[in-house]
Amino acid sequence: MARLASFWQVALARLCRAPARSRELQRRLDSAIACGEFCFHYQGKFDTAQLRLVGLEALLRWNHPRHGLVYPNEFIGLAEQTGAIAALGNWGIDAACRQLAQWRAQGLPLVPVAVNVSARQLCQPQLPAQLPDFVLGCLRRHAIPACLLELEVTESCCIDDMAQAAQGLRQLRALGLAISLDDYGTGHSGLSHVRLLPIHTIKIDRSFIHDLGSSGSGGRDAVIVASTLALARGLGLQALAEGVENGEQLAQLRRLGCPQVQGFYLHRPAPADEVAALLSAGLVTVPKHGAMRHGADAQ
């Protein structure tokens, strides 16, 4: 009985601390951007034929002076509420270009780096003149070709002005950038996004990959993945499966004809200096043992 009471005391204490932590993070957001407390960890994307590195996704992390490494699930929503998301998104685009320039200076072979763009960035007033110009400025400042920068739009986000978002993204495509539709299948208007936005890649959400190769919902998920791959092929789009955590999932995706994959089984997100070895090798060694642990650092 005493152990049960202790459990509930700990749980209640955590619930009380959560709002206070959120308020603290929210208050510090603007100064954290200005003070350079944000960084990227990079996760590799691989082709399924040879497990050759074909790209990297830049995943945002906050090096908080008090709490250590804070993951996006704790602060992206706060940034959306406060309006800091646009400044954070602009920081990310410039940081990715700067990192590509640093890798190039080290003599490393480069692959495209994908950065997430929020719906708020896409639907700001006067966006069609602002975001493409900002991206072009970053590319020129760091002397990075546009083909090495990719922008990811989350399919589940609510884009208030689809026409305005499409116009801005078309201008970015005209510069030579690739546009990916992230978390495909989790939103309420996926096919509309595919039809109206000038995307290059469909990223199949991890929720449809988790049970592949298993009984139960795995069979239904395989049908959904296969139909998404057929859709991508029919429209001339690239397709990538997220959240690959074991060899069974990878084998099933190969059987279904999925061309590219991303997940902990092949590469865990890592700081830029640790990614240098992956860039040098260009290929990944498949782990010998089962599934890799998944958790909060999935994004």
Side-chain angles (χ1 to χ4, degrees), residues 4 8 16 78 81 85 98 111 121 130 140 154 159 175 179 181 214 218 222 232-233 236-237 242 248 261 292:
L4 182 61
W8 285 113
C16 291
L78 300 177
Q81 294 170 18
I85 192 67
R98 183 171 61 249
V111 295
Q121 283 177 279
Q130 291 182 347
R140 288 175 173 172
T154 302
I159 299 178
L175 295 177
I179 310 294
L181 188 59
S214 65
R233 284 192 296 269
L237 302 176
E242 301 180 280
E248 291 77 12
V261 290
M292 298 186 72

Side-chain angles (χ1 to χ4, degrees), residues 194-207:
V194 172
R195 182 170 66 91
L196 297 174
L197 299 180
I199 62 171
H200 171 273
T201 300
I202 293 176
K203 297 186 71 176
I204 305 170
D205 186 70
R206 65 186 63 245
S207 61

Side-chain angles (χ1 to χ4, degrees), residues 20-167:
R21 177 178 167 113
S22 292
R23 288 193 297 271
E24 179 189 353
L25 294 177
Q26 192 172 49
R27 286 193 300 267
R28 191 177 174 84
L29 261 173
D30 289 333
S31 61
I33 299 171
C35 294
E37 293 177 9
F38 289 94
C39 67
F40 278 138
H41 283 193
Y42 298 86
Q43 185 175 39
K45 305 175 182 180
F46 304 89
D47 67 28
T48 52
Q50 298 178 312
L51 298 185
R52 176 177 53 90
L53 182 70
V54 294
L56 294 164
E57 181 178 0
L59 300 169
L60 197 57
R61 304 288 186 258
W62 184 351
N63 276 316
H64 195 282
R66 178 182 174 190
H67 301 298
L69 208 61
V70 181
Y71 293 95
N73 61 308
E74 282 200 77
F75 61 80
I76 289 297
L78 300 177
E80 292 276 5
Q81 294 170 18
T82 62
I85 192 67
L88 195 54
N90 288 345
W91 174 89
I93 292 168
D94 185 69
C97 293
R98 183 171 61 249
Q99 185 58 63
L100 281 163
Q102 290 174 0
W103 281 328
R104 181 183 57 202
Q106 297 170 21
L108 294 169
L110 300 180
V111 295
V113 172
V115 181
N116 287 276
V117 177
S118 75
R120 182 73 64 88
Q121 283 177 279
L122 294 177
C123 295
Q124 282 187 334
Q126 299 177 326
L127 166 100
Q130 291 182 347
L131 186 58
D133 285 348
F134 178 81
V135 170
L136 184 58
C138 292
L139 293 172
R140 288 175 173 172
R141 182 163 55 254
H142 300 288
I144 296 299
C147 62
L148 287 178
L149 184 64
E150 182 176 345
L151 299 183
E152 294 195 0
V153 181
T154 302
E155 191 266 318
S156 57
C157 74
C158 182
I159 299 178
D160 296 326
D161 191 336
M162 186 65 73
Q164 184 182 14
Q167 182 182 352

Side-chain angles (χ1 to χ4, degrees), residues 217-283:
S217 64
R220 296 169 64 94
D221 288 342
V223 173
I224 293 172
V225 171
S227 65
T228 304
L229 293 171
L231 173 69
R233 284 192 296 269
L235 294 175
L237 302 176
Q238 181 60 262
L240 179 147
E242 301 180 280
V244 177
E245 296 180 351
N246 58 56
E248 291 77 12
Q249 293 168 349
L250 177 61
Q252 178 77 319
L253 287 166
R254 279 173 162 163
R255 285 192 292 270
L256 293 172
C258 184
Q260 294 183 1
V261 290
Q262 176 181 354
F264 284 7
Y265 183 61
L266 300 175
H267 182 237
R268 297 182 68 85
D273 56 346
E274 295 181 21
V275 174
L278 180 61
L279 288 169
S280 295
L283 295 171

